[in-house]
């Protein structure tokens, strides 16, 4: 969607639904960040949830901030240069970009990747959609609610299957043949198909 005007953006950000949504997202962000700093890393599920919520809310705030700096920029660079909204939004966009990237790196390093990556992806989308629908009032542009709900259910179902499949069994053995010394199976044969000869 095109960037809203500066006045339209400020009106969207100051209506009661947007304020409530932003406050809830902020509390989720701070609660997850606090849990991440205080939680014992021996609890992988809580760590996973905390990191993914931090990344997801950061993604949503980044989207809002991007609309914020693009609104005055749409009126020209000269206008944006003297706009408080432009600089405040740009600073928030950069801050939440760093937060999201750090949470991604931390999650990939400290969490079960098979659970973290799909959950992180879904929460990024979920929080961005919530912020867009409520704060930016994008619900007014939805043509088919059944289509939107079906697509969301499909994505969520796929993630649930990913998480409950390979990620749920830490003792799962790799069924692939051994590639040790003297093995007749090698990555070179896999690539060029020479094992079929």
């Amino acid at each position: 969607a095109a960037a809203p005007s500066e006045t339209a953006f400020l009106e969207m950000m100051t209506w009661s639904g947007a304020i409530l949504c932003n406050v809830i997202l902020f509390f989720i962000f701070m609660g997850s960040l606090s849990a991440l700093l205080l939680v014992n890393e021996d609890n992988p599920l809580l760590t996973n949830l905390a990191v993914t919520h931090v990344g997801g809310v950061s993604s949503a705030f980044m989207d809002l901030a991007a609309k914020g700096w693009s609104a005055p920029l749409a009126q020209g660079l000269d206008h944006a240069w003297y706009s408080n909204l432009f600089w405040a939004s740009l600073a928030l966009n950069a801050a939440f970009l760093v937060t999201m990237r750090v949470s991604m790196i931390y999650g990939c390093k400290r969490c079960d990747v098979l659970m973290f990556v799909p959950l992180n992806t879904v929460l990024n989308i979920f929080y961005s959609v919530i912020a867009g629908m409520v704060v930016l009032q994008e619900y007014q542009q939805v043509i088919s609610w059944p289509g939107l709900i079906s697509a969301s259910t499909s994505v969520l179902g796929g993630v649930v299957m990913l998480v409950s499949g390979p990620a749920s069994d830490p003792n799962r053995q790799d069924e692939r043949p051994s590639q040790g010394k003297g093995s007749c199976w090698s990555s070179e044969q896999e690539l060029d198909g020479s094992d079929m000869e």
Side-chain angles (χ1 to χ4, degrees):
S5 67
E6 192 168 353
T7 305
F9 177 78
L10 291 172
E11 287 176 357
M12 286 188 290
M13 291 297 291
T14 52
W15 81 284
S16 56
I19 293 172
L20 180 61
C21 181
N22 284 328
V23 167
I24 291 171
L25 288 176
F26 180 74
F27 274 108
I28 292 172
F29 178 82
M30 293 305 296
S32 300
L33 193 59
S34 301
L36 190 58
L37 296 173
L38 301 174
V39 73
N40 189 338
E41 288 189 9
D42 293 336
N43 190 338
L45 179 60
L46 188 55
T47 301
N48 221 322
L49 289 172
V51 176
T52 51
H53 281 294
V54 167
V57 175
S58 296
S59 175
F61 282 143
M62 270 183 60
D63 291 347
L64 295 177
K67 289 288 187 182
W69 61 255
S70 61
L73 191 61
Q75 300 178 43
L77 189 57
D78 291 339
H79 176 78
W81 186 259
Y82 296 102
S83 170
N84 292 331
L85 176 63
F86 175 80
W87 293 110
S89 299
L90 194 62
L92 285 172
N93 201 156
F96 283 113
L97 172 64
V98 170
T99 306
M100 190 176 75
R101 295 306 175 204
V102 169
S103 71
M104 173 65 83
I105 294 167
Y106 183 90
C108 288
K109 183 177 179 182
R110 301 292 177 92
C111 301
D112 177 5
V113 176
L114 289 176
M115 182 181 290
F116 169 75
V117 172
L119 189 58
N120 185 63
T121 302
V122 165
L123 286 179
N124 280 352
I125 296 169
F126 175 76
Y127 283 123
S128 293
V129 168
I130 291 295
M133 289 287 187
V134 177
V135 179
L136 301 178
Q137 302 176 27
E138 291 176 352
Y139 67 89
Q140 298 173 353
Q141 300 175 19
V142 174
I143 297 172
S144 172
W145 283 101
L148 181 64
I149 293 169
S150 298
S152 303
T153 305
S154 176
V155 171
L156 182 60
V159 172
V160 168
M161 286 188 285
L162 278 173
V163 172
S164 63
S168 64
D169 186 4
N171 298 321
R172 182 176 60 90
Q173 297 295 321
D174 192 357
E175 298 175 1
R176 182 177 172 148
S178 171
Q179 294 185 17
K181 189 174 182 180
S183 171
C184 63
W185 187 274
S186 69
S187 58
E188 289 81 6
Q189 288 174 328
E190 215 180 5
L191 290 174
D192 63 16
S194 59
D195 57 303
M196 300 301 291
E197 295 177 356

